[in-house]
Amino acid sequence: MHNILTSLRHNKNLYLVTISFFLLGFINIHLALIGFLCMILPFVLLMNTGKKTYCQGYCPRASFYSKIGKFKKTNQKTPNFFIKGDMKKFILVYFVFNLFIMIAATTRVYSGAMPPMLMARFMLFFPFPGNLPQLVEFGGIAPWITHLSYRIFSMMMTTTMIGILLGFLYKPRTWCTVCPINTLSDAYLTITKKRK
Ligand code: SF4
């Protein structure tokens, strides 16, 4: 296990995990549930190592931004309000709101109060054009799981697209300055340092 983790750390092909995630959503949307790993793993590693280990060496999304950033000739400086201003808080609030809506709607689908929403959306409200192809069917899956899968796919797609846009406007990994995982990890480290 240790050897696998060591070989993955700073692996230059980690960006392929990001691309594979979205391709898997085209094969069958339920595979998008893998996206939860991107939310859980950073905190598991943070609590075990006391460092932002995931961000520093394992994040496929950061690798993806770095990869596409290589196609740019110049990099604009990341604005200060991303690094020290309110943008982190704004994105964190959006992330928490998104999670809340996702859980509330999935609970309503589970209880039969609403049908599953079988489409990907940008920023909660704007449907992506066209349907995901769904090349392989999985039978017998509860509608609330399908709904949740579309929602996690939408959230990952939305944040990835915003990250790509920021990467083209500024430095390739500008998303990392406002990423909720980073903001929450910093808060955790600040709190744990104060307790020592
Ligand atoms: S800040 Fe977010 S996108 Fe950047 S490396 Fe950490 S988890 Fe990945």
Side-chain angles (χ1 to χ4, degrees):
M1 185 68 182
H2 183 261
N3 285 346
I4 296 173
L5 284 177
T6 309
S7 66
L8 281 178
R9 189 171 166 83
H10 297 306
N11 189 305
K12 61 181 174 29
N13 294 320
L14 274 171
Y15 71 94
L16 291 175
V17 176
T18 300
I19 295 172
S20 304
F21 170 81
F22 291 113
L23 289 179
L24 287 175
F26 280 57
I27 292 171
N28 187 290
I29 193 62
H30 300 99
L31 297 170
L33 293 173
I34 295 168
F36 278 117
L37 279 179
C38 293
M39 295 183 207
I40 296 165
L41 261 182
F43 297 110
V44 171
L45 289 173
L46 177 71
M47 285 176 211
N48 277 305
T49 62
K51 291 186 289 187
K52 293 192 277 186
T53 304
Y54 182 83
C55 296
Q56 288 162 359
Y58 295 103
C59 180
R61 188 189 291 235
S63 167
F64 178 70
Y65 294 144
S66 299
K67 188 75 185 175
I68 57 178
K70 288 186 181 154
F71 295 102
K72 284 174 66 187
K73 292 211 169 78
T74 55
N75 286 322
Q76 296 290 329
K77 197 170 169 279
T78 305
N80 252 351
F81 71 94
F82 274 76
I83 301 165
K84 293 178 184 159
D86 287 338
M87 198 51 145
K88 283 174 194 281
K89 287 182 202 155
F90 177 78
I91 299 282
L92 182 61
V93 168
Y94 167 74
F95 177 72
V96 172
F97 177 68
N98 207 324
L99 273 183
F100 174 77
I101 296 284
M102 185 167 79
I103 293 166
T106 302
T107 308
R108 279 171 59 78
V109 175
Y110 177 76
S111 66
M114 66 177 262
M117 197 186 294
L118 305 179
M119 65 172 79
R121 286 186 167 198
F122 179 73
M123 292 193 84
L124 288 174
F125 305 109
F126 310 105
F128 283 106
N131 292 324
L132 299 180
Q134 302 305 283
L135 302 176
V136 178
E137 292 289 330
F138 295 169
I141 295 188
W144 69 269
I145 298 179
T146 309
H147 175 88
L148 182 64
S149 305
Y150 272 101
R151 303 291 54 85
I152 188 81
F153 184 90
S154 300
M155 192 157 95
M156 298 288 282
M157 180 73 102
T158 299
T159 50
T160 302
M161 286 173 73
I162 293 172
I164 291 171
L165 179 67
L166 292 177
F168 271 104
L169 289 174
Y170 309 115
K171 292 183 179 170
R173 283 185 60 175
T174 297
W175 170 257
C176 290
T177 61
V178 293
C179 173
I181 303 285
N182 193 21
T183 308
L184 291 172
S185 299
D186 282 341
Y188 173 84
L189 290 174
T190 307
I191 292 166
T192 48
K193 258 182 211 157
K194 274 185 191 159
R195 280 193 190 147
K196 282 179 188 165

